[in-house]
Amino acid sequence: MSAVTHEAAVRRGRRRQRQRRLTVVRGVVAGVMTLLFMGPILWMISTAFKVGNQAFSATPTIFFAPTFDNFRSVFVKSQFGSALATSIFTATSSTILALLLGAGIAYPLARRRVRGQQHLAFWILSLRIVPPIVVIIPLFLMLRNVGLTGSVWSLVVIYTYMNLPLTVWLLRGFFADLPVEIEEASFVDGASRLRSFFGITLPLALPGVVATALLAFIFAWNEFLFANILTGANTRTAPVGLTEYVTPVSVEWTNIMAAGTLVVLPVWIGALAAQRYLVRGLTLGAVK
Amino acid sequence: MAVSTPPRPAAAGPTRFLKRRAGRRRQWPFLLPMLPGLLFLGAMAVYPTVYSLVISFFRWNLNNPLGKQYGGFHNYDILLKDPAFWHSVGVTLRYVVASVVLELGLGLGLALLFFRSFPGDKLLRALLILPMVVAPVVVGLLWRYMLSVQFGVVNWLIGALGFGRVDFLGSPSWALPTLILIDVWQWTPFMFLIMLAALQGIPEDILEAARVDGAKPARIFFDHMLPLLRYPIAVAVALRLIDAFRVYDLIFMTTRGGPIDKTETLSWQIYDAGFKSFDIGYAAAFSWLMLILVVVLTTVFLRLMLRREDLA
Amino acid sequence: MQMRAKVIRAALAMVAALVMLTVAACGGGSNNSKSTSSGPSGTPAKGGKVTLNAIFLPATWGTVVKDTLAPEYERETGVKVNVQLIARDAIHDKMATLFAAKDSSFDIFNLDYNWIPEFGGAGQLVPMDDMVSAADRQDFFPLTLKVATWQGKLYGIPQTIHPALLWYRKDLYGDPKIQTQFQAETGQKLEAPKTMAEWLQQAKFFNGKTFHGKKTYGWAAQAAKGFGNVHTWLSFLYTYGGHPFNGDFTKSTLSSPQGEQATAQWAEMMKYMPPGANGFTYDNVTTAAQQGTIATALQWSWGAFAVDDKKSSKTVGDWEYTQVPAVTAGQVSHPHLAEWVIAVSKYSKHAVEAKKFAAWLETKKNDVVQASLGGGDPVRQSSYSNVKLTKDKVPGTNVLRFRRLPQVIVAMKNAMPRPFFAGEERWETTVTTPLQAVSLGKESPAQGLTQSDKAVDASLQR
């Protein structure tokens, strides 16, 4: 009897040892992979602190005294700060609008079986498939008719439109996840639908709403094609402002990298903070 | 035709219950909040869609003072007979298929790596997802910088390993593979996150039972894990498929369709036709052909991957 | 009863949402009008300040306007000019979109002259004939005005010209040791090439050898897909006497003995460029010239300022400039002309003010000011004898800063524009691809030209 348990214990011990070795191997491989994926971004950030000839030497400069000149020139000379401000404004307001309108559609879809509901949801999603290049001229004509061209609001409207399918789909999933019983309980207490939505449903779904907001924000923040063509005087967004350093005369790599770092940083911080919910968001609720 | 959320078991029952109690009369005030959003979507979607469909049947150059001329299927006709069109279909398909397959494989591999915890895994995971939040414009410029023949760090690394310098974005045989690898770099983290979450959603007892039965890790993966990953894989691939078809910013910042025509994707050609040449009728027809292609491919793929019960 | 209360509440919520939207939209509207026009009805407000919105290229002639001249104009006249710098493609795309919607948010555009037929012909630019006096017409290079005119109307004020010049390294060509080596290898004297054959021989000689401690290549020029390779190749095509089109731009005529000779010569020359040359844009050529890794270059005249810039160049004062080589000695060559003009949108609400500003930028004085600030080569012939330019030295040296100008005058006599018709941008987009196939050796010059002819003719049928 003891032989059997002993053998089992040895087997278990061996397995644990193998397991431990495997953990180390996995850790190392994962570290290397992470370095591969992080490498280019680290390179960008380090280049942002280099001076011209360090950035262009045939043998890469790895150790150097960092300079803030690039950031200074990006902010002072080319007013990249105002481009960042425009980006923050457009991305934030379009996110808020998309959330408001999206929640309006998503909540009933999640709570009620409506005839043709699937068709409606699919139609909304299919809007995302249309390549932006297809609709840019008619969209511009429409915006012109309501007098929005040349202002940042044209981008706000378009980004709201662009993000609405996303928010509808995400929020629908998040709302559907919430047990109906809690809402029902509040009805019994005499609360109205509206109040129960704002008082109960929304707070409970908040993590999901945050993830949705973050995704919508990232898409609006990174968008280039519409911004490039539609922005008016003084309403450049950050990705468009960045292309100013690619002139026919020279490509100002160090400035590009400094501006690129500034563009990436806020969304990265947001993504890290809401990482857990981001997964749900990215998959349109395919994974819980 | 598109991606769907599975019905949530927690919600399905009570929803039906609610509906029965609600009755028809209460239906419409309940739907009222949908109105602003739907009106907005309708206003923004209907006109551009109809507009582009209509002008796709016209011969119209923006700068032609004569304006539009009805051309029937003229635009579609010359497109379908144009070898350059079919060439760009080929380029696009190669780009989309190669990058999505590689991303799925790598993402799944990474997810298996991170499936069981190890010291520091949270930090590594947080760093790993960074590429996908980088604006495509920045991605294009960053890689152009790093791949430069003269001062690029990648060529320096290759040189240090004893190989000759490669003009990644300028050589006809390297350009498309390079673009694919950039796409893989940016979007593998996306696949990784989804696959990791899906793996973590698999009930532990299923895996434990298989292990007790003495199944090898590979067996466990193929027989027990993969079937459960079918739905997340389908959705993730479909989403990437749709986005990869639209690739524009990356090409704009790197190869501009070149060298020769090696990276002329559909969206790039549409841009050329619409904005460089102002042939907007032609560009609209082009877009519709592309749209049809994307919709057909996505539908076929989802039909193959999904079963009836996946669709609500 | 309770139900009705709920309906009302839901309706109220919706109204609230709509009100928010409307407020947002109106906020946008007022924001818009504030940023784009001063008078509420769009007419120039009397006494009030007019603000003009302009788009310029982020090249030196754009930055000079943005940083120096526009602020000066505001001090002089009280008219504020808001200058936005955006890339060439974006200017073109933006104009197309804005004009399609008859939008007035921008008044002034910096135009590549090949867009004049496109936008001028479609009636989207304001004629500028009244801004150019008879004396001005005498002063501007005739060609500069010709390519700003479409169907008898002047649609842009020329701002800067840059015909292609042949650049060569004086320090290499003047080195007795290299001269001897060249003589020994080829039996010829090493001097700036006068013919295409001489140039090719010299490029071969320099290519791959180490001079003055640096590995050197034969030459460099723009060769990237998009516009670079077409512009370089055009200098060859024109010099060999080729014509891209028949007289009325209805048929592509690239396949000709002259076209094939020119294309073959260009493709042969491409072998003696540095690695990665097929992706070379203007800035790559400049960098190679600054680093001293090339012996010759075919580059715009104006770009010369960059190699004399101490901060970024290792070849300050080393470059000299001459004409693009001819086919045979004694003939003239025909360099490709680059020129940017200033145009005013037809939808501008301040067209009069905008035209005034455009003309002011190119007064005699400002033409010189722009050039001396590095903003491209002058468009007025009188500027070329202005001592401010002719006597100016590169700081810290005895080298003339504008030593290229006499060559620019000669080049302007023979320079030829890109095909001057409304489909030029489309034409460039079409021929750039087969041309690159030729320069990469994937197709013969004859194949490439036949294919170009076919593709161009097809694009004319769209």
Side-chain angles (χ1 to χ4, degrees):
Chain A
M1 164 218 140
S2 70
V4 175
T5 43
H6 178 69
E7 204 178 294
V10 169
R11 215 186 304 143
R12 227 177 300 135
R14 220 181 282 145
R15 208 174 90 189
R16 210 170 297 142
Q17 215 182 347
R18 212 177 50 215
Q19 211 67 280
R20 215 173 301 137
R21 227 179 312 139
L22 212 68
T23 307
V24 174
V25 172
R26 276 192 301 123
V28 171
V29 176
V32 171
M33 291 302 282
T34 309
L35 202 65
L36 271 179
F37 279 91
M38 266 300 283
I41 292 160
L42 292 178
W43 196 246
M44 169 174 84
I45 297 172
S46 79
T47 308
F49 292 98
K50 288 180 185 172
V51 295
N53 52 29
Q54 288 166 341
F56 297 122
S57 60
T59 4
T61 319
I62 294 173
F63 299 102
F64 57 95
T67 167
F68 286 90
D69 283 358
N70 302 317
F71 290 96
R72 211 167 297 137
S73 109
V74 156
F75 273 115
V76 179
K77 247 180 72 192
S78 58
Q79 293 122 31
F80 195 70
S82 81
L84 279 173
T86 308
S87 266
I88 291 171
F89 178 77
T90 43
T92 310
S93 18
S94 68
T95 302
I96 293 172
L97 277 175
L99 279 180
L100 278 177
L101 296 174
I105 302 178
Y107 185 66
L109 277 183
R111 278 290 176 259
R112 201 63 71 90
R113 297 240 142 208
V114 186
R115 238 191 301 163
Q117 155 175 333
Q118 287 304 324
H119 294 293
L120 184 66
F122 285 153
W123 172 70
I124 291 173
L125 186 67
S126 74
L127 296 176
R128 225 185 123 72
I129 300 182
V130 182
I133 201 98
V134 181
V135 291
I136 196 159
I137 287 182
L139 273 181
F140 189 83
L141 289 172
M142 282 169 66
L143 292 169
R144 169 75 204 150
N145 286 341
V146 291
L148 281 185
T149 48
S151 84
V152 282
W153 288 99
S154 60
L155 284 183
V156 172
V157 167
I158 285 184
Y159 293 166
T160 306
Y161 170 59
M162 187 178 86
N163 275 328
L164 205 47
L166 187 85
T167 52
V168 168
W169 271 72
L170 298 188
L171 292 176
R172 183 171 82 132
F174 291 123
F175 290 148
D177 269 357
L178 299 175
V180 180
E181 288 80 357
I182 304 178
E183 282 173 33
E184 305 233 298
S186 75
F187 294 153
V188 174
D189 293 344
S192 71
R193 262 263 174 224
L194 206 62
R195 200 176 327 144
S196 103
F197 176 78
F198 282 109
I200 313 246
T201 317
L202 210 54
L204 280 177
L206 201 63
V209 175
V210 170
T212 311
L214 182 70
L215 272 178
F217 186 88
I218 291 177
F219 280 117
W221 181 264
N222 287 348
E223 204 281 331
F224 174 69
L225 182 61
F226 285 120
N228 193 25
I229 294 175
L230 295 186
T231 46
N234 303 321
T235 57
R236 288 176 315 155
T237 63
V240 177
L242 200 108
T243 59
E244 189 179 300
Y245 307 118
V246 190
T247 74
V249 193
S250 65
V251 182
E252 302 167 20
W253 288 113
T254 51
N255 284 343
I256 289 174
M257 296 304 151
T261 305
L262 292 172
V263 173
V264 170
L265 224 52
V267 282
W268 190 31
I269 292 169
L272 287 186
Q275 198 195 142
R276 203 149 55 88
Y277 309 111
L278 208 58
V279 180
R280 269 300 301 274
L282 283 170
T283 52
L284 298 187
V287 175
K288 286 200 190 174
Chain B
M1 38 97 343
V3 186
S4 143
T5 324
R8 260 149 249 292
T15 310
R16 215 164 294 131
F17 165 72
L18 251 184
K19 182 188 177 187
R20 204 173 340 114
R21 226 193 44 177
R24 276 199 154 272
R25 276 182 307 149
R26 280 188 47 194
Q27 189 94 335
W28 78 265
F30 187 74
L31 295 180
L32 216 52
M34 294 175 86
L35 258 177
L38 287 181
L39 283 178
F40 178 73
L41 273 180
M44 295 288 285
V46 172
Y47 175 68
T49 314
V50 174
Y51 179 92
S52 70
L53 186 61
V54 169
I55 64 168
S56 76
F57 292 101
F58 282 85
R59 298 178 65 172
W60 184 18
N61 186 289
L62 263 191
N63 277 332
N64 186 346
L66 297 175
K68 326 189 234 291
Q69 278 176 300
Y70 182 71
F73 282 92
H74 174 83
N75 292 324
Y76 292 94
D77 191 48
I78 53 176
L79 267 170
L80 293 173
K81 282 183 190 147
D82 186 354
F85 169 77
W86 293 106
H87 169 80
S88 66
V89 169
V91 170
T92 311
L93 285 180
R94 255 175 288 160
Y95 178 85
V96 170
V97 171
S99 50
V100 173
V101 166
L102 282 172
E103 281 154 20
L104 179 65
L106 262 175
L108 196 54
L110 279 172
L112 287 170
L113 214 57
F114 279 79
F115 178 38
R116 297 279 180 230
S117 69
F118 55 84
D121 58 345
K122 293 234 163 54
L123 175 74
L124 289 187
R125 194 178 61 188
L127 294 175
L128 198 55
I129 63 165
L130 184 53
M132 70 181 192
V133 300
V134 182
V137 172
V138 179
V139 170
L141 284 169
L142 175 58
W143 280 97
R144 209 171 107 193
Y145 172 64
M146 293 202 309
L147 293 173
S148 156
V149 192
Q150 282 92 31
F151 47 80
V153 64
V154 176
N155 263 311
W156 176 80
L157 282 173
I158 293 178
L161 293 173
F163 298 98
R165 284 177 180 256
V166 179
D167 186 6
F168 286 98
L169 293 165
S171 121
S173 44
W174 274 101
L176 188 63
T178 304
L179 287 188
I180 291 170
L181 285 180
I182 296 176
D183 195 277
V184 168
W185 172 79
Q186 182 165 32
W187 293 108
T188 297
F190 167 83
M191 286 287 186
F192 158 70
L193 269 186
I194 296 176
M195 292 305 130
L196 185 61
L199 283 176
Q200 286 169 344
I202 296 176
E204 193 59 40
D205 44 344
I206 297 183
L207 302 180
E208 190 54 37
R211 209 169 297 131
V212 168
D213 285 348
K216 291 248 164 55
R219 280 278 113 220
I220 298 181
F221 174 71
F222 283 108
D223 292 354
H224 300 278
M225 289 170 137
L226 214 48
L228 290 172
L229 295 180
R230 185 174 44 85
Y231 184 77
I233 286 179
V235 174
V237 168
L239 282 175
R240 276 302 302 139
L241 216 64
I242 292 173
D243 278 357
F245 263 103
R246 308 189 338 176
V247 61
Y248 168 80
D249 313 14
L250 180 62
I251 293 180
F252 181 81
M253 284 298 159
T254 53
T255 62
R256 311 189 68 103
I260 317 178
D261 52 359
K262 297 296 177 192
T263 58
E264 295 246 351
T265 59
L266 288 166
S267 53
W268 181 258
Q269 288 229 330
I270 292 174
Y271 167 78
D272 261 0
F275 275 112
K276 288 256 155 255
S277 313
F278 292 158
D279 294 314
I280 62 170
Y282 176 82
F286 211 141
S287 313
W288 276 91
L289 290 178
M290 172 171 161
L291 198 60
I292 291 168
L293 184 69
V294 181
V295 168
V296 166
L297 277 179
T298 325
T299 315
V300 168
F301 171 76
L302 286 173
R303 278 276 152 75
L304 287 175
M305 287 294 287
L306 297 181
R307 309 217 180 96
R308 251 195 120 64
E309 68 266 20
D310 292 329
L311 297 161
Chain C
M1 267 304 102
Q2 203 203 352
M3 215 224 79
R4 174 173 282 179
K6 268 182 196 153
V7 175
I8 293 170
R9 255 184 242 125
L12 277 177
M14 204 191 97
V15 170
L18 279 176
V19 166
M20 276 181 61
L21 265 179
T22 323
V23 169
C26 292
S30 60
N31 185 348
N32 178 27
S33 62
K34 239 180 274 158
S35 70
T36 54
S37 67
S38 51
S41 61
T43 48
K46 268 181 210 155
K49 264 193 167 183
V50 173
T51 298
L52 299 173
N53 287 300
I55 290 182
F56 277 82
L57 195 73
T60 45
W61 60 89
T63 47
V64 165
V65 171
K66 182 180 179 179
D67 298 340
T68 313
L69 292 171
E72 190 187 321
Y73 190 69
E74 189 181 355
R75 278 194 302 275
E76 270 182 26
T77 63
V79 174
K80 185 174 166 49
V81 187
N82 218 328
V83 179
Q84 198 184 353
L85 302 179
I86 61 176
R88 183 181 185 275
D89 294 306
I91 296 180
H92 188 253
D93 299 353
K94 207 164 197 144
M95 287 174 73
T97 322
L98 293 170
F99 290 158
K102 307 187 181 0
D103 185 273
S104 65
S105 32
F106 288 96
D107 309 287
I108 298 164
F109 292 96
N110 204 186
L111 252 68
D112 201 338
Y113 71 87
N114 67 316
W115 302 335
I116 289 279
E118 243 175 290
F119 294 112
Q124 284 152 338
L125 302 174
V126 177
M128 304 277 240
D129 298 272
D130 51 336
M131 304 310 289
V132 181
S133 70
D136 290 332
R137 283 193 183 273
Q138 287 297 311
D139 198 10
F140 282 113
F141 283 106
L143 185 57
T144 62
L145 291 172
K146 205 174 142 200
V147 295
T149 306
W150 183 248
Q151 289 166 349
K153 286 202 182 87
L154 183 72
Y155 284 111
I157 305 283
Q159 191 193 5
T160 177
I161 47 160
H162 22 270
L165 290 182
L166 182 84
W167 299 21
Y168 66 99
R169 289 268 298 284
K170 214 173 48 192
D171 58 324
L172 299 183
Y173 275 78
D175 185 329
K177 255 205 289 191
I178 299 176
Q179 284 175 344
T180 324
Q181 195 184 343
F182 183 76
Q183 181 104 43
E185 263 186 42
T186 63
Q188 308 282 326
K189 229 178 125 197
L190 181 62
E191 48 187 21
K194 298 218 165 43
T195 66
M196 287 285 183
E198 286 171 21
W199 187 22
L200 177 61
Q201 191 178 41
Q202 293 169 5
K204 272 186 192 164
F205 165 77
F206 283 111
N207 197 56
K209 293 203 179 77
T210 302
F211 296 104
H212 298 179
K214 212 167 258 157
K215 186 167 180 183
T216 307
Y217 295 93
W219 73 305
Q222 299 178 56
K225 188 181 171 179
F227 43 86
N229 66 347
V230 180
H231 293 186
T232 302
W233 163 81
L234 272 178
S235 285
F236 284 83
L237 183 76
Y238 288 154
T239 296
Y240 278 86
H243 292 286
F245 281 99
N246 63 353
D248 57 354
F249 297 101
T250 50
K251 190 154 178 48
S252 176
T253 57
L254 288 171
S255 294
S256 65
Q258 294 91 337
E260 278 176 37
Q261 271 180 347
T263 310
Q265 183 74 18
W266 168 71
E268 176 64 18
M269 286 293 295
M270 285 291 295
K271 294 177 188 158
Y272 306 104
M273 275 174 59
N278 270 291
F280 267 31
T281 53
Y282 179 85
D283 72 287
N284 298 106
V285 182
T286 303
T287 310
Q290 289 176 328
Q291 298 295 320
T293 53
I294 47 174
T296 62
L298 188 72
Q299 179 81 317
W300 298 333
S301 57
W302 145 85
F305 81 92
V307 291
D308 287 341
D309 174 19
K310 246 198 211 120
K311 263 195 293 180
S312 50
S313 174
K314 295 177 182 161
T315 54
V316 177
D318 286 345
W319 286 93
E320 199 49 71
Y321 311 92
T322 187
Q323 297 304 303
V324 171
V327 181
T328 54
Q331 274 185 324
V332 293
S333 61
H334 296 283
H336 158 249
L337 171 75
E339 170 177 333
W340 281 73
V341 304
I342 312 156
V344 173
S345 159
K346 187 182 121 185
Y347 308 102
S348 164
K349 288 173 181 158
H350 312 292
V352 178
E353 291 294 331
K355 279 164 73 172
K356 272 188 203 154
F357 176 68
W360 178 82
L361 283 177
E362 283 305 331
T363 56
K364 269 192 179 191
K365 178 175 155 261
N366 281 337
D367 193 38
V368 175
V369 168
Q370 283 190 48
S372 71
L373 288 172
D377 288 342
V379 290
R380 287 172 178 269
Q381 301 177 68
S382 62
S383 304
Y384 285 71
S385 50
N386 190 303
V387 285
K388 269 193 192 140
L389 303 181
T390 54
K391 295 272 184 273
D392 199 10
K393 300 258 169 71
V394 176
T397 68
N398 215 11
V399 183
L400 286 177
R401 200 173 149 221
F402 291 96
R403 57 191 181 280
R404 65 181 181 274
L405 291 190
Q407 293 295 331
V408 175
I409 298 177
V410 177
M412 282 307 285
K413 290 193 185 116
N414 305 317
M416 286 168 72
R418 275 160 264 164
F420 202 58
F421 77 119
E424 205 280 336
E425 196 76 6
R426 172 166 68 188
W427 176 76
E428 261 180 65
T429 312
T430 309
V431 295
T432 185
T433 305
L435 280 179
Q436 197 163 49
V438 173
S439 69
L440 281 163
K442 301 277 168 192
E443 275 174 25
S444 73
Q447 281 171 330
L449 292 176
T450 317
Q451 206 185 317
S452 298
D453 279 334
K454 238 163 98 185
V456 170
D457 285 340
S459 80
L460 294 173
Q461 297 307 309
R462 273 186 207 160

